[in-house]
Amino acid sequence: GAVVSQHPSWVICKSGTSVKIECRSLDFQATTMFWYRQFPKQSLMLMATSNEGSKATYEQGVEKDKFLINHASLTLSTLTVTSAHPEDSSFYICSAYPTTGNTIYFGEGSWLTVV
Amino acid sequence: DAKTTQPTSMDCAEGRAANLPCNHSTISGNEYVYWYRQIHSQGPQYIIHGLKNNETNEMASLIITEDRKSSTLILPHATLRDTAVYYCIVRVIPQFYFGTGTSLTVIP
């Protein structure tokens, strides 16, 4: 099956610093990738939709200047949490939509802890 | 926003069929129904999807009512490893919005 890889799996950073999470589609090309965040015992909340070579589309209430998304190639999207605060601590999950096909595939997720 | 409603939780005996319902009464004619599951602290795993017809694969079967307002995911012989949160999603192109899902517990 299609494989999506996220890195790092978990990261601890200090408050005020920035952290980058990578999402790669390993065996397919993805024109579109999605970023979600998930708090404990809650569902996945869509943060933004990124399309290769263009600006990401953010969901209402998501700060675009805080959560920078780059989708520079058909196999890589990155999420940068800038000036992180403890309330940004969460499980971040990416997914990729193949250029052919109509199913999205998810990465393993990245745990972010801001201390 | 999610266009689906699911029961919060369900139990199923190991070896029996697990039937997970989903209501999507506002679904449009060209919108697919997708099912994913999430085991604790992992990314969601694709199970199956369909438009109108019933679908079956190696993991599960998907039964969609004729009016498409509801569907049922069937795990034919549930195992302990099927314990997870199951999400029914109606895709609002191009996004996939998740509802609250059903927490399925398979009991030995």
Side-chain angles (χ1 to χ4, degrees):
Chain A
V3 178
V4 176
S5 177
Q6 273 185 249
H7 177 80
S9 299
W10 57 270
V11 57
I12 300 173
C13 72
K14 291 185 177 180
S15 187
T17 63
S18 296
V19 61
K20 180 186 289 186
I21 301 170
E22 292 187 348
C23 177
R24 294 181 184 273
S25 54
L26 298 185
D27 51 1
F28 63 94
Q29 293 185 326
T31 307
T32 304
M33 290 186 172
F34 304 96
W35 286 95
Y36 296 82
R37 68 187 297 182
Q38 185 176 33
F39 293 108
K41 298 189 178 182
Q42 294 186 22
S43 185
L44 285 77
M45 183 192 80
L46 179 65
M47 298 176 67
T49 303
S50 74
N51 293 296
E52 185 265 339
S54 63
K55 290 184 178 180
T57 303
Y58 290 81
E59 294 296 307
Q60 192 172 8
V62 178
E63 300 175 60
K64 60 181 68 176
D65 294 331
K66 180 168 186 60
F67 299 99
L68 301 180
I69 292 172
N70 182 276
H71 191 163
S73 77
L74 287 172
T75 59
L76 173 65
S77 177
T78 60
L79 168 68
T80 301
V81 183
T82 63
S83 187
H85 290 120
E87 56 264 33
D88 298 325
S89 299
S90 187
F91 189 50
Y92 292 87
I93 310 170
C94 75
S95 66
Y97 187 74
T99 52
T100 57
N102 57 6
T103 302
I104 61 170
Y105 300 95
F106 286 83
E108 314 95 322
S110 300
W111 283 101
L112 170 63
T113 301
V114 184
V115 298
Chain B
D1 290 330
K3 300 178 69 170
T4 61
T5 55
Q6 299 175 252
T8 303
S9 63
M10 292 180 64
D11 292 339
C12 176
E14 187 179 17
R16 306 296 281 260
N19 297 287
L20 293 94
C22 178
N23 286 323
H24 31 79
S25 58
T26 61
I27 193 170
S28 299
N30 61 349
E31 291 176 335
Y32 282 77
V33 178
Y34 290 79
W35 283 84
Y36 285 80
R37 71 180 182 185
Q38 186 180 28
I39 296 170
H40 182 61
S41 298
Q42 297 182 23
Q45 176 190 23
Y46 167 77
I47 301 174
I48 199 167
H49 74 283
L51 182 63
K52 297 180 189 177
N53 300 320
N54 298 337
E55 302 287 345
T56 295
N57 63 20
E58 65 277 5
M59 290 183 68
S61 294
L62 173 60
I63 309 298
I64 302 174
T65 58
E66 193 167 340
D67 63 7
R68 302 187 71 238
K69 293 183 183 297
S70 66
S71 61
T72 301
L73 177 74
I74 301 173
L75 307 179
H77 306 286
T79 70
L80 299 179
R81 287 179 295 181
D82 292 323
T83 292
V85 177
Y86 287 77
Y87 294 99
C88 170
I89 301 166
V90 170
R91 188 179 181 208
V92 180
I93 294 175
Q95 286 85 3
F96 284 75
Y97 293 104
F98 281 72
T100 55
T102 296
S103 178
L104 174 69
T105 301
V106 180
I107 302 169

